[in-house]
Amino acid sequence: MWIKGDLHVHSHCCGDGSLSVAEIVERAREYCDFLAISGHCRVPEFFRAERQYAEVLEARKKFDIPIFNTGEVEFPIPRHVIFITTPENREFELLQALVPRFCRRNGVTGVEAAKEELAFLEKAWGDKVFMIFNHPNAPDVAAEDLLAIAPSPVFKVLACVDRGERRAPQTWDPGNAWDRLLTKGFRISARCGSDFHRHYDDGGRDQYPGEFVQDVLQVRENTYDEIFKAYVTGNFYCTVGDLIREPVFAFSAPGEITLAFEANGEMEKIEVISESGKIVAAFDEFPGERFSAVFKVPPGRYYRVRGMGKKRRRKYEEGEFEPLFLLNPLYC
Ligand SMILES: [Zn+2]
Ligand SMILES: [Zn+2]
């Protein structure tokens, strides 16, 4: 089954958030099958970690969807990362352990400190935690820095689109940081997140979790463990504007790939990208709602797909946005 969700969501327990955890879940349920509540980990004046955790525990009793408790951490390589673990793996202690030791705002900076933080986690949490590098374009993170931390088994996901339609070229552009990581053999996936703080309806400029961007995971059931596993193994894709559903992306023969999906709107372009960002196949004619193609590809370590839809009118603002999707890599 496919489930949708969002791992980058701020509640009123952050200085710049607006809604309680229960209010977020209530409004996001229409769009999401799971959520993570990710407070800003600047302790203590800006983030009420205990309060957030208490609200998450309450919300779990009230709502029937997985709600991860986590935080957006000030990483030694500027700027934000999220660490995800499941409820039975000391979910509250995770941030309590990290923030006093590794918060960049306390002067812990640089690639070496980042590696130490990841090594600490690997030792203390093993394979029960993974890291998302959020908005690597705010500020711009050098591909070299991402390559330096990529050997850590904790680093699994690089963000693409989040708040305000902010699209990280590091993840989106062929040949940029993500392709460099993949070309070196690091199995990193891409995700989108709302970075929800305050909704348009409430005087803000955010959409609800899952309303604008979606991570769509393939799981056996909607549980914490299955969600965790899908993110760690890359068994998901991400979209803006819910552009596609039920993608198939697989080898049909050696050197031959099948790509198929249902489109939720008009498509403009699809590109299949391989090592060093080389585009090895492209499509710009779409007869119907169902896209299906079988094509040959040159030898490579991985293949990934990005697609753009026809521009649509924004829901809460003037102007248009570009719907898009990213499929996570198919590895050889
Ligand atoms: Zn952030
Ligand atoms: Zn955020």
Side-chain angles (χ1 to χ4, degrees):
M1 66 193 275
W2 294 96
I3 57 170
K4 282 181 202 170
D6 187 351
L7 297 182
H8 190 172
V9 178
H10 299 282
S11 77
H12 68 173
C13 300
C14 300
D16 54 1
S18 61
L19 299 179
S20 70
V21 173
E23 287 169 324
I24 291 172
V25 181
E26 218 149 75
R27 287 162 175 76
R29 256 195 319 179
E30 181 182 341
Y31 311 105
C32 289
D33 303 304
F34 68 90
L35 285 170
I37 303 298
S38 335
H40 284 295
C41 288
R42 294 180 231 161
V43 282
E45 70 287 351
F46 200 74
F47 175 45
R48 294 175 295 157
E50 287 84 5
R51 172 74 184 271
Q52 177 185 298
Y53 191 45
E55 289 194 12
V56 166
L57 293 177
E58 271 308 301
R60 283 178 185 160
K61 286 186 217 155
K62 192 168 167 197
F63 302 100
D64 178 25
I65 64 169
I67 308 165
F68 291 84
N69 181 74
T70 184
E72 203 177 13
V73 170
E74 300 282 348
F75 199 52
I77 297 169
R79 185 164 69 111
H80 288 166
V81 302
I82 289 177
F83 293 103
I84 300 279
T85 191
T86 49
E88 73 278 17
N89 289 299
R90 295 170 290 154
E91 57 179 346
F92 184 71
E93 287 75 10
L94 180 65
L95 299 178
Q96 304 302 309
L98 291 181
V99 176
R101 289 179 174 87
F102 299 106
C103 183
R104 192 187 67 260
R105 285 171 175 260
N106 297 337
V108 184
T109 61
V111 170
E112 290 312 311
K115 284 193 209 163
E116 275 170 39
E117 181 165 5
L118 294 170
F120 169 84
L121 274 170
E122 201 187 332
K123 198 164 167 216
W125 263 265
D127 59 1
K128 305 294 185 210
V129 66
F130 73 88
M131 183 184 89
I132 303 165
F133 208 114
N134 282 351
H135 43 71
N137 53 327
D140 277 318
V141 178
E144 286 68 25
D145 288 353
L146 294 169
L147 281 162
I149 57 169
S152 166
V154 176
F155 177 24
K156 295 287 187 197
V157 184
L158 197 58
C160 188
V161 177
D162 57 38
R163 202 175 188 192
E165 302 176 26
R166 191 162 57 182
R167 195 187 307 179
Q170 284 84 348
T171 318
W172 177 254
D173 289 352
N176 210 313
W178 190 25
D179 280 311
R180 290 184 60 185
L181 292 163
L182 295 169
T183 300
K184 291 267 187 205
F186 300 115
R187 295 193 169 197
I188 306 283
S189 302
R191 78 108 176 96
C192 293
S194 65
D195 201 0
F196 174 79
H197 289 70
R198 183 180 294 275
H199 197 270
Y200 282 95
D201 290 346
D202 192 19
R205 295 197 61 192
D206 300 327
Q207 300 193 41
Y208 290 123
E211 189 179 10
F212 183 65
V213 298
Q214 299 83 26
D215 282 352
V216 191
L217 283 55
Q218 192 163 34
V219 294
R220 281 179 304 187
E221 47 185 357
N222 187 13
T223 61
Y224 290 97
D225 284 342
E226 283 283 300
I227 294 163
F228 186 94
K229 198 169 84 186
Y231 273 108
V232 164
T233 57
N235 198 2
F236 69 103
Y237 64 94
C238 57
T239 90
V240 171
D242 207 13
L243 185 56
I244 63 161
R245 59 188 193 278
E246 293 173 24
V248 174
F249 182 43
F251 291 106
S252 37
E256 185 187 279
I257 287 178
T258 298
L259 172 65
F261 57 81
E262 305 289 330
N264 292 331
E266 272 186 71
M267 298 296 306
E268 279 283 316
K269 196 173 192 59
I270 293 169
E271 292 168 335
V272 183
I273 297 161
S274 186
E275 289 184 26
S276 307
K278 192 160 178 264
I279 294 168
V280 295
F283 306 90
D284 54 12
E285 299 213 4
F286 306 97
E289 278 170 26
R290 168 101 187 146
F291 175 87
S292 182
V294 180
F295 50 90
K296 296 254 184 251
V297 288
R301 203 187 265 264
Y302 72 92
Y303 305 90
R304 66 181 186 88
V305 179
R306 71 171 196 174
M308 296 76 117
K310 202 172 168 186
K311 285 193 176 160
R312 297 182 198 160
R313 200 177 293 278
R314 291 197 177 95
K315 199 167 169 185
Y316 300 99
E317 279 192 59
E318 294 291 300
E320 296 179 315
F321 73 95
E322 186 178 46
L324 51 93
F325 74 88
L326 278 173
L327 297 191
N328 278 313
L330 176 63
Y331 298 101
C332 293

